[in-house]
Amino acid sequence: MAPITNGRLLFNEVPTGYPVPGKTTVYDATDIIDLENEPLNGGILVKTLVLSVDPYLRGMMRAPESKSYTPPFLFNEPLYNFGVGKVIRSENPAFQAGDHVYGILDFSEYSIPKDTSKLEVIIRPEPSLPYSVYVGAAGMPGQTSYYGWKEYAKAKAGEVVFISTAAGPVGSIVVQLAKQDGLKVIASTGSDEKVKFCKEIGADVAFNYKTTNTADVLAREGPINIYWDNVGGSTLEAAITNTAPGARIIICGFISQYNGEEDRGIKNMKYVLFNQLSINGLHVNAHHDRYKHEFYQLIPKKLASGEFKYTEDIARGLEKGGEAILEVQKGMNTAKKIILVADE
């Protein structure tokens, strides 16, 4: 087989606000790869099938000297994130040609991962689920929902939970976990279409925060016992004001401050004292050892049976990757955003 083009999505420059396709990220078609003869040096050659697009990718688009909890992308190198790929060739005994792998993959059509410890062979507990679901509801976003709910929610039937970005891949699973546990769910999202989806998956109260005042809804429907925060900013402030004594706040994301917005201070922290609140930050990797096996035993089955619902917003082709990333940052995606790089 003759060498072929290996399309890649490269990190080109640090954005000052939203990431700009063609400027922040650049699709590159100049790389050539020989699938039969590319040296593996004990590694594996992977064909990328699907890639996950997540809000936190914006935080990795920064200068090397800027510190955070995730490493920055490298200039003129492919972005990377959770994905599913197929092993084409292997010199690593842990992987065989034909295996499907899940883990961190480059935004490239083919790659030889430098660190195969971040990949695992997928043994699909529910073969009816497409591989794309394993980067969404049955992958890292679903794990984030499940681990955080199990570890921090301390939910009791009859309590009230408020979930921001409730139609997203994390928030929508939290909605369904909360309803399973018998809670009243208040769901906030950014479009009328997403409000409809939240109601379909069981939210008792769902509203579009762009057209409805969040604080008014919480004052009317609360007080809240649990707040699952994906946005930060004024929404977090409104939630704190409307908490019940002993409420739990789970900080999962801060998308309101990912794209160059000035950091916002919370002005009503007195309620943390008054209502004896607990606030926890959630990093999914910190809880794998405790909950990963349980997650794969339960959640794929619920998704495959239809007991838990999920939706996908698929961008077809790696060349659409820059636009897909921007859509997620602006909240323009209609569901879990996935890049379909290639079919089998």
Side-chain angles (χ1 to χ4, degrees), residues 140-150 169-171 173-174 177 228:
M140 183 277 296
Q143 290 170 346
T144 301
S145 308
Y146 188 80
Y147 299 179
W149 188 254
K150 295 287 286 187
V170 174
I173 296 296
V174 176
L177 289 168
W228 187 288

Side-chain angles (χ1 to χ4, degrees), residues 18 27 29 45 51 58 77 80 87 98 127 162 169 183 207 212 317 322 342:
Y18 287 111
Y27 178 73
L45 173 63
L51 291 165
R58 174 60 180 83
E77 294 290 335
Y80 52 85
V87 177
F162 171 44
L183 279 74
F207 67 96
T212 304

Side-chain angles (χ1 to χ4, degrees), residues 43-46 85-101 121:
I44 61 176
L45 173 63
V46 177
K86 185 175 183 179
V87 177
I88 303 300
R89 293 168 46 220
S90 175
E91 294 178 356
N92 183 326
F95 302 91
Q96 304 298 319
D99 284 346
H100 287 82
V101 292
V121 176

